[in-house]
Amino acid sequence: MKDLKLAGLKTARSAIEVNGVTIGGKEIILMGGPCAVESSLQMSQSAETVKKAGGKILRGGVFKPRTSPYSFQGLGLEGLNYLVQAAKEQNLLCVTEVIDAPSLDLVVDKVDIIQIGARNMQNFELLKLVGKIKKPIILKRGLSATIEEWLLAAEYILAAGNPQVILCERGIRTFEPSTRNTLDLSAVGVAKELSHLPVIVDPSHAAGRRDLIASLSKAAIAAGADGLLIETHPNPAEAVSDGPQSLTPEQFVQLAEELGVVAGSVKRVFTCGGQGGTLEALRTQIDRVDQSIIELLADRMQIVRNIGDQKRLDRVKDISRQNEIIQRLVNLAADLQLPPDLVKRLYPLIFEFGVQSQIKSKLAQDKELDSSLYTFGSK
Ligand code: PEP
Ligand code: MN
């Protein structure tokens, strides 16, 4: 794509490091909070939820570019203070949206990340302004913007001197009315193919309804997103904006508990509750991992049984295949800082139970065959 002189993919992908949080690395970064900052209590409760879920960044709009001029426009400076204070209490970073030069001036020294909303994606003067600051920018995709237009908007920021741009897919306008927008997950892959910039996904503004947020979040991670920006509110029914798409605190934490497995399946990491949680939180994590281990072993055993159906009884045990698997897993364990001896001791046991189960089912099949032949012969 022409003109992506700075945003275009070169050799390596960019990771953006901001006050100890890396966006675009192996870890999936969860950002959450209400659409609009409403009160100090609402923000401290939201920050608690985000922390509990293992989120790293608290969101909250204090300048709201609303479709109707009569809708709540945000609390401005007062709201900014609630956002910053709540993030500090929970040791989270914070992000808020700016809409023009005065709002940028007001927030720039107080927040960690600045958001440019969908409605301002092609506000070129604003893009040039945020290109002059030294803070990461989350650049939302415009309501009807093509991927090319979105990347060129990023190029404006980069060309003005700010290399720290995080792209955010938040759904685009289509003919489909059952959701607020249509989440374009292929845009994650396309943007990552064309650009080195990290890409996050906001499923909340895409769906417009909370029942779809969990599945869209998981799909976004599977599609390669580097992070998620999700709306949550202590009491969505009372929210002044975007209540129907905001998760309850319980739903937000529950979703976070389910993200680790999805992240792991695409070689990424997400830890609910963050590193160094309480003893109870860490034990909950271990229980979840143990459950996954047993479920995966059950899946493995089922495959072993299926394979058994295709083998002759005298070929059930295949030593060279076993050695090959152990060697591969010993190398993997070393890479993952797991003692290779654990693999060397565990896998012979797993193989033994697999072989036994194959032999048992072969013998049972043979017996069945014998008895049906006998029945047939004795007629
Ligand atoms: C928001 O994040 O609250 C928001 C207004 O999002 P968007 O710009 O994607 O509509
Ligand atoms: Mn919103």
Side-chain angles (χ1 to χ4, degrees):
M1 196 175 282
K2 75 173 174 51
D3 282 351
L4 291 184
K5 294 191 173 110
L6 301 167
L9 185 62
K10 301 198 180 71
T11 44
R13 305 212 57 79
S14 290
I16 292 176
E17 209 275 328
V18 46
N19 300 334
V21 173
T22 302
I23 300 155
K26 199 171 164 113
E27 190 183 358
I28 301 293
I29 302 300
L30 176 63
M31 317 178 191
C35 181
V37 175
E38 297 163 18
S39 70
S40 164
L41 179 64
Q42 173 227 26
M43 287 316 292
S44 54
Q45 288 173 335
S46 302
E48 224 173 273
T49 302
V50 172
K51 186 70 177 190
K52 200 166 162 195
K56 296 280 164 66
I57 301 172
L58 180 66
R59 63 150 287 151
V62 298
F63 297 102
K64 298 301 304 172
R66 304 302 299 279
T67 302
S68 162
Y70 306 113
S71 301
F72 178 64
Q73 304 284 310
L75 285 185
L77 180 60
E78 182 191 349
L80 180 66
N81 292 336
Y82 298 151
L83 168 71
V84 171
Q85 178 60 27
K88 204 163 137 200
E89 277 164 18
Q90 297 292 341
N91 199 20
L92 297 168
L93 306 189
C94 65
V95 55
T96 201
E97 178 171 354
V98 299
I99 51 174
D100 52 16
S103 58
L104 176 62
D105 276 350
L106 201 71
V107 311
V108 69
D109 293 327
K110 296 200 169 155
V111 299
D112 303 282
I113 302 176
I114 306 266
Q115 177 177 318
I116 298 290
R119 288 156 194 80
N120 275 313
M121 189 207 81
Q122 283 190 322
N123 181 341
F124 300 115
E125 294 312 310
L126 185 58
L127 298 179
K128 286 185 215 162
L129 281 179
V130 296
K132 294 205 180 77
I133 65 168
K134 291 191 166 43
K135 295 241 159 131
I137 310 297
I138 290 180
L139 178 65
K140 294 247 192 148
R141 182 177 179 187
L143 306 184
S144 300
T146 63
I147 296 171
E148 181 172 14
E149 288 162 345
W150 184 28
L151 296 180
L152 285 170
E155 186 75 24
Y156 262 92
I157 303 173
L158 300 176
N162 185 349
Q164 303 187 85
V165 176
I166 300 152
L167 299 165
C168 180
E169 160 60 38
R170 46 77 73 204
I172 48 173
R173 190 166 278 186
T174 69
F175 50 79
E176 177 52 57
S178 27
T179 50
R180 184 174 175 182
N181 292 287
T182 297
L183 184 61
D184 181 10
L185 280 183
S186 37
V188 176
V190 175
K192 289 192 130 188
E193 194 187 286
L194 295 174
S195 169
H196 57 91
L197 299 171
V199 182
I200 64 168
V201 166
D202 167 355
S204 307
H205 291 86
R209 39 188 271 202
R210 76 176 66 85
D211 62 323
L212 298 177
I213 306 302
S215 54
L216 292 179
S217 300
K218 292 173 195 168
I221 294 178
D226 297 302
L228 295 167
L229 179 65
I230 302 176
E231 285 184 343
T232 173
H233 190 286
N235 183 1
E238 302 280 308
V240 298
S241 81
D242 287 348
Q245 69 195 33
S246 300
L247 296 183
T248 64
E250 295 73 27
Q251 288 171 328
F252 189 81
V253 174
Q254 168 77 36
L255 166 59
E257 279 172 4
E258 294 164 10
L259 292 180
V261 181
V262 185
S265 74
V266 286
K267 299 194 169 58
R268 305 292 291 268
V269 180
F270 176 79
T271 311
C272 179
Q275 300 291 345
T278 61
L279 180 62
E280 194 192 353
L282 292 170
R283 283 189 167 152
T284 308
Q285 284 174 34
I286 288 203
D287 291 349
R288 213 173 40 244
V289 172
D290 283 341
Q291 175 158 343
S292 302
I293 291 174
I294 296 300
E295 284 169 359
L296 287 171
L297 279 176
D299 287 351
R300 188 185 197 286
M301 194 58 117
Q302 186 54 49
I303 300 171
V304 163
R305 281 189 211 105
N306 295 345
I307 290 181
D309 294 345
Q310 301 182 24
K311 280 184 178 170
R312 279 179 18 198
L313 187 54
D314 59 342
R315 295 270 168 82
V316 161
K317 193 163 178 164
D318 184 341
I319 298 283
S320 71
R321 164 92 177 133
Q322 291 185 358
N323 288 340
E324 185 193 307
I325 293 175
I326 290 191
Q327 193 49 53
R328 181 163 32 83
L329 296 182
V330 158
N331 295 340
L332 177 65
D335 284 351
L336 298 174
Q337 285 162 18
L338 195 66
D341 272 352
L342 180 63
V343 171
K344 287 187 191 153
R345 285 161 67 172
L346 190 60
Y347 264 77
L349 263 181
I350 292 177
F351 292 144
E352 191 186 317
F353 278 85
V355 166
Q356 274 176 18
S357 129
Q358 287 183 338
I359 291 175
K360 235 190 255 166
S361 84
K362 283 258 130 216
L363 290 175
Q365 275 170 12
D366 287 357
K367 212 167 154 191
E368 225 170 76
L369 193 66
D370 279 356
S371 69
S372 65
L373 284 176
Y374 177 76
T375 317
F376 180 73
S378 66
K379 272 195 182 157

